[in-house]
Amino acid sequence: MIGGSLYYSPKRVCQIIVACCMLHNLALRRQVPFLQEDGPAGGLVAAEEPVDSEEEEAEEEEIDNRNNIIMQYFQ
């Protein structure tokens, strides 16, 4: 918000909120690790390190899937 107004219409804001909730629930079901804001230089870092390369590959695939969904619906 800038000066008390929305960037998007209320209908669009509702769609964005629903999409965020869906992505959050999908990430929870697939056990995607949460991110923390206390990384080097204030950047985001994974809360847990992957145990092995197989888990790391699965996590990268899930992140790619999530990013593809975001790009498809919000670009």
Side-chain angles (χ1 to χ4, degrees):
M1 283 181 28
I2 293 181
S5 64
L6 297 173
Y7 285 122
Y8 303 104
S9 69
K11 181 179 179 181
R12 187 68 171 162
V13 171
C14 289
Q15 292 172 335
I16 292 169
I17 291 169
V18 168
C20 290
C21 292
M22 292 172 67
L23 290 170
H24 172 75
N25 290 338
L26 179 64
L28 288 177
R29 274 190 243 126
R30 293 187 178 206
Q31 299 177 342
V32 176
F34 287 99
L35 297 177
Q36 298 175 353
E37 294 185 23
D38 297 332
L44 296 175
V45 295
E48 300 175 12
E49 293 295 321
V51 175
D52 62 11
S53 63
E54 193 172 300
E55 284 183 22
E56 188 174 83
E57 288 176 18
E59 179 183 328
E60 288 176 9
E61 184 178 337
E62 291 168 353
I63 290 170
D64 287 341
N65 288 339
R66 184 170 37 184
N67 289 338
N68 288 335
I69 291 169
I70 292 168
M71 296 299 281
Q72 181 179 356
Y73 289 101
F74 297 105
Q75 288 290 320

